[in-house]
Amino acid sequence: METVLVICSRRSNQIQINIGCAVIMNSLKLHDIECRLIDLIPIDPEERMNYLRKNLSPRHAIYAFGITIGNRQITEAEECARIIKEANPDNIVIYGGPLASSSGKILVTHCLCDYALGGEAENTFPELIKRLLRGEKYPDKDEIPGLYYVRDGIAIGRTHKKLGILTKTSNPDYGGFDMDFYVGYLKETDQSWEIMASRGCVANCTFCYKMVGSGLSIRPVDNVLDEMEMVVRDYGLRKFYFVDDSLLVMRDWYRDFLKQKRERGLDFNFIIQARIDAIDEELVREGAENGLVCISAGVESVDQAALDKMRKQISIELVLEKIALVKRYGLAFSANFIIGFEWETETDWQEMHDFIRDNLAGQAKLNILTPLPNTFIYKQAKARNLIGDEYEYILKMGDLYFELMVNMTAEPDERLRYWYNKINAIASRDVAFPVSERYLTKLADHYYKRFPSEKRL
């Protein structure tokens, strides 16, 4: 059987290469498993399903999807899976990614997939493929952490395990991608190449879902720099965005990264995400001297009692101190806020509006609180009967953080949306949109039509 990785399309506000899929492609290669990639993102939306049909294997095969939480990607994956099963009922469908990590049993119970595989899968996915190729219909779940399937009408599985140390199997392989398409988009919009140095987070915020569990899984510095050097050399890109939840928590790693960057003579700029309490003057100064241009951090609220309830472990005074520190070294500061916690009132939203207006106008992103499966907030929403059937809720999770899924507050929906739009109007930064139809047709229409003349968020 052939193994085929399918990148399911979804209309979002940005186009980025799929790091997770690139890692799986590399891990399969290192395990001597041949695979093929069907990437639907570069295909015109109205032609995507026909393209999938034309590229199916002539014989029965294994098709694997990585599915995010929200953005209705599960709906698109199910449409693809239906086509795959109609072409050959013996085809095997595997769902992986964040949604499989949070809701594996729900997926195998309700969806067309035969298996769901959660967590960091660069080792477990090749093992699953090997066993399927040997004809094992029910691989031992205890030997493949994160694997779920239905047997005798019962969904069974085991929680995934954290890797901790990421070896060469966690390096990405971009060989199967249409690099002209992806690199062209980044150049046309002057945006950064996304890169991963670690997975996970050391915090325990109530609203956050940790796909790979608590703690960090970390790539070696030289592996990360090898990738960045390749991107600069082969594609002429010199701007990077670290997708890590908090790079500065890895203090020694970060300083070693800067040291090796200097020793290699590499010339590029980069953006990082960081916890507020991990930002200090030494790291900011060294970063500013070695290509760091922006730090993004989660502030979430301007009310101390609210921050304490979220388990943020920061203070408003600390936030203002770190903003001033970052700007003192000439770096940009980008803040994330959340609106919609159960205790919030219009008074809280007015205070958030004024704080952003006075301190972070045009430098913030406002997210609508979205209860993600397997989070503390999600369990609260379930207990309050704000979420009924879990699979129906998953199917309806649309434009994540921009669209109201569940109103946890006592305020009417229309007032929450009003304040979201009011705060966002002063908070949001300009983001360049592409000018060519090659890319515009693949973005969610409502994003760039909000400001049709400026083409910005």
Side-chain angles (χ1 to χ4, degrees):
M1 286 188 292
E2 183 182 25
T3 301
V4 183
L5 304 183
V6 183
I7 297 181
C8 191
S9 60
R10 61 188 177 95
R11 291 204 182 191
S12 59
N13 65 330
Q14 299 294 335
I15 295 172
Q16 284 284 354
I17 201 162
N18 191 307
I19 298 176
C21 184
V23 169
I24 293 299
M25 289 184 68
N26 175 64
S27 68
L28 290 174
K29 181 183 295 184
L30 293 178
H31 283 86
D32 296 319
I33 299 173
E34 293 186 5
C35 74
R36 179 165 59 93
L37 176 65
I38 298 178
D39 185 0
L40 298 178
I41 302 299
I43 309 303
D44 287 338
E46 63 274 11
E47 293 296 324
R48 283 172 176 160
M49 295 306 138
N50 287 332
Y51 181 87
L52 175 65
R53 289 186 180 93
K54 292 176 182 177
N55 284 276
L56 295 179
S57 294
R59 298 182 300 276
H60 72 287
I62 301 169
Y63 295 87
F65 297 75
I67 307 174
T68 62
I69 299 175
N71 298 97
R72 296 185 177 87
Q73 194 174 24
I74 181 60
T75 303
E76 299 241 11
E78 283 287 273
E79 185 177 356
C80 292
R82 189 169 294 107
I83 291 170
I84 290 168
K85 291 289 189 178
E86 288 173 354
N88 190 330
D90 291 330
N91 282 334
I92 296 172
V93 174
I94 303 170
Y95 286 171
L99 187 57
S101 300
S102 71
S103 311
K105 284 189 177 181
I106 293 175
L107 295 185
V108 295
T109 301
H110 295 277
C111 295
L112 293 172
C113 63
D114 300 285
Y115 305 93
L117 185 63
E120 299 168 290
E122 47 262 61
N123 294 325
T124 53
F125 184 72
E127 181 62 25
L128 174 59
I129 296 300
K130 289 176 183 177
R131 297 189 180 214
L132 294 177
L133 293 176
R134 291 201 300 261
E136 294 184 32
K137 185 175 182 180
Y138 301 111
D140 190 334
K141 61 182 178 58
D142 292 325
E143 296 178 1
I144 306 179
L147 177 63
Y148 296 89
Y149 51 77
V150 174
R151 185 172 189 176
D152 299 327
I154 301 174
I156 61 174
R158 178 186 169 190
T159 303
H160 51 270
K161 292 176 62 177
K162 191 170 199 60
L163 291 178
I165 299 174
L166 302 180
T167 64
K168 62 181 180 180
T169 58
S170 302
N171 293 337
D173 179 355
Y174 301 109
F177 290 85
D178 181 352
M179 297 306 292
D180 176 71
F181 173 82
Y182 287 103
V183 172
Y185 175 83
L186 296 179
K187 290 183 176 179
E188 190 168 308
T189 57
D190 192 32
Q191 294 190 56
S192 302
W193 177 280
E194 291 187 347
I195 192 162
M196 180 270 294
S198 67
R199 303 191 192 111
C201 182
V202 298
N204 191 31
C205 299
T206 60
F207 53 84
C208 186
Y209 173 66
K210 297 180 180 180
M211 173 186 168
V212 299
S214 298
L216 298 175
S217 293
I218 304 172
R219 288 176 75 190
V221 171
D222 56 345
N223 286 2
V224 175
L225 282 170
D226 286 346
E227 181 184 343
M228 301 174 91
E229 190 168 2
M230 178 275 294
V231 171
V232 172
R233 180 188 65 243
D234 295 351
Y235 305 119
L237 297 171
R238 297 182 181 276
K239 296 173 64 177
F240 294 88
Y241 179 86
F242 280 95
V243 297
D244 309 48
D245 289 321
S246 188
L247 196 70
L248 295 186
V249 168
M250 308 185 299
R251 187 183 184 91
D252 292 340
W253 188 100
Y254 175 74
R255 299 191 70 189
D256 190 26
F257 166 78
L258 298 179
K259 177 176 178 289
Q260 290 194 40
K261 177 180 183 287
R262 290 193 303 271
E263 292 172 348
R264 293 191 187 202
L266 296 177
D267 179 22
F268 58 75
N269 294 331
F270 62 98
I271 299 168
I272 64 171
Q273 298 184 106
R275 282 184 54 83
I276 288 288
D277 53 5
I279 300 172
D280 69 28
E281 185 159 8
E282 182 180 31
L283 299 182
V284 171
R285 175 180 54 77
E286 291 184 8
E289 293 171 352
N290 290 279
L292 177 63
V293 294
C294 177
I295 296 178
S296 175
V299 176
E300 323 311 358
S301 176
V302 299
D303 176 71
Q304 188 60 54
L307 291 173
D308 294 340
K309 291 177 183 177
M310 297 178 209
R311 306 175 189 159
K312 282 294 293 182
Q313 299 178 325
I314 60 174
S315 66
I316 299 300
E317 292 75 20
L318 186 66
V319 170
L320 291 171
E321 175 189 324
K322 299 304 182 180
I323 292 173
L325 168 62
V326 170
K327 291 184 176 181
R328 188 161 68 245
Y329 281 89
L331 306 181
F333 186 90
S334 177
N336 292 294
F337 290 85
I338 300 175
I339 185 174
F341 286 96
E342 62 177 325
W343 54 78
E344 291 178 353
T345 66
E346 295 199 56
T347 300
D348 297 302
W349 299 334
Q350 182 68 61
E351 291 175 357
M352 179 182 290
H353 173 278
D354 295 347
F355 181 92
I356 293 175
R357 178 198 62 200
D358 296 341
N359 300 283
L360 291 164
Q363 303 169 68
K365 177 185 175 185
L366 181 62
N367 302 296
I368 297 177
L369 178 68
T370 304
L372 301 178
N374 259 343
T375 62
F376 179 80
I377 293 294
Y378 184 85
K379 294 172 184 176
Q380 279 189 323
K382 284 282 294 179
R384 293 172 56 191
N385 294 318
L386 297 175
I387 296 174
D389 183 275
E390 292 188 77
Y391 183 59
E392 288 299 317
Y393 176 75
I394 288 171
L395 286 178
K396 292 177 181 177
M397 291 182 75
D399 197 354
L400 210 60
Y401 311 127
F402 292 89
E403 186 177 329
L404 180 61
M405 313 292 173
V406 173
N407 185 355
M408 302 280 288
T409 77
E411 303 289 346
D413 290 1
E414 61 269 18
R415 295 307 296 168
L416 176 54
R417 291 193 182 97
Y418 166 81
W419 278 101
Y420 169 77
N421 291 325
K422 181 180 177 68
I423 297 171
N424 202 45
I426 62 167
S428 61
R429 61 186 177 88
D430 290 355
V431 176
F433 272 84
V435 295
S436 64
E437 290 298 314
R438 180 187 193 190
Y439 299 116
L440 281 175
T441 57
K442 297 168 181 64
L443 297 176
D445 292 345
H446 63 275
Y447 282 106
Y448 62 85
K449 286 183 177 178
R450 285 174 58 191
F451 301 96
S453 59
E454 297 91 346
K455 291 288 192 300
R456 67 179 179 86
L457 282 176

